[in-house]
């Protein structure tokens, strides 16, 4: 019998990302001197950087996204899950929204699913819901970017 994710049965589950402490609608200057206005944040679809799930304004009191996904053998996959097995992540894309509604990305945060403790992921597979809670403003008051792992994000399993 095959071992690992290849031989494991796929189980449907969801990932909910709860973002708090958003940075506001403007920031700058960035290290490159750029300043940004009408900032929004959204989850980026795998393979389709222009396809964003539910953009939220940077001055919202909080932002929540729920992603349909599957898990097998400790590996999580789905339309909004990026990366190779063992290196999976979810992108939060930060961008500006112009008068026509066009989103132009300028920064991303990479929520590392490989950093979810194994016992939490196992419990989430059983309950059907993995929740990641994080602040979306960095130490300089800008939109959070780069790799995000605990303690910057708290992962928990909850009942769906």
């Amino acid at each position: 019998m095959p071992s690992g994710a290849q031989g494991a049965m796929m189980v449907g589950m969801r990932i909910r990302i709860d973002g708090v402490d958003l940075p506001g609608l403007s920031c700058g200057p960035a290290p490159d001197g750029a300043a940004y206005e009408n900032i929004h944040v959204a989850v980026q679809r795998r393979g389709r950087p222009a396809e964003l799930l539910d953009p939220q304004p940077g001055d919202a009191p909080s932002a929540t996204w729920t992603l349909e996904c599957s898990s097998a053998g400790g590996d999580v996959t789905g339309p909004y899950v990026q990366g190779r097995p063992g290196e999976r992540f979810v992108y939060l894309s930060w961008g500006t929204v112009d008068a026509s509604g066009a989103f132009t990305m300028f920064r991303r945060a990479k929520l590392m699913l490989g950093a979810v403790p194994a016992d939490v992921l196992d419990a989430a597979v059983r309950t059907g819901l993995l929740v990641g809670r994080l602040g979306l403003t960095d130490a300089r008051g800008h939109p959070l970017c780069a790799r995000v792992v605990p303690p910057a994000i708290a992962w928990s399993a909850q009942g769906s």
Side-chain angles (χ1 to χ4, degrees):
M1 176 158 188
S3 64
Q6 293 174 339
M9 184 176 71
M10 294 297 279
V11 176
M13 60 180 269
R14 294 177 294 139
I15 298 172
R16 189 178 77 218
I17 300 166
D18 292 334
V20 296
D21 187 30
L22 279 77
L25 287 175
S26 62
C27 80
D32 64 1
Y36 303 98
E37 299 293 329
N38 200 21
I39 295 170
H40 284 64
V41 60
V43 175
Q44 178 182 311
R45 188 175 177 96
R46 181 184 70 247
R48 300 179 189 167
E51 192 172 322
L52 302 167
L53 178 64
D54 200 15
Q56 298 292 309
D59 65 347
S62 64
T64 298
W65 300 272
T66 301
L67 318 174
E68 296 296 327
C69 59
S70 298
S71 178
D75 187 30
V76 178
T77 60
Y80 293 94
V81 176
Q82 316 268 347
R84 294 180 255 201
E87 301 173 7
R88 303 280 194 209
F89 60 91
V90 173
Y91 267 139
L92 290 184
S93 293
W94 292 96
T96 58
V97 176
D98 66 17
S100 71
F103 183 96
T104 303
M105 187 189 68
F106 66 88
R107 178 175 290 173
R108 292 190 289 202
K110 204 175 196 182
L111 309 183
M112 304 305 296
L113 296 175
V116 175
D119 62 324
V120 172
L121 182 57
D122 290 345
V125 169
R126 286 191 307 276
T127 64
L129 181 62
L130 176 66
V131 177
R133 183 173 172 82
L134 73 159
L136 295 176
T137 300
D138 71 12
R140 295 185 352 196
H142 294 179
L144 181 70
C145 66
R147 293 178 85 246
V148 181
V149 298
I153 186 168
W155 292 105
S156 64
Q158 296 184 12
S160 56

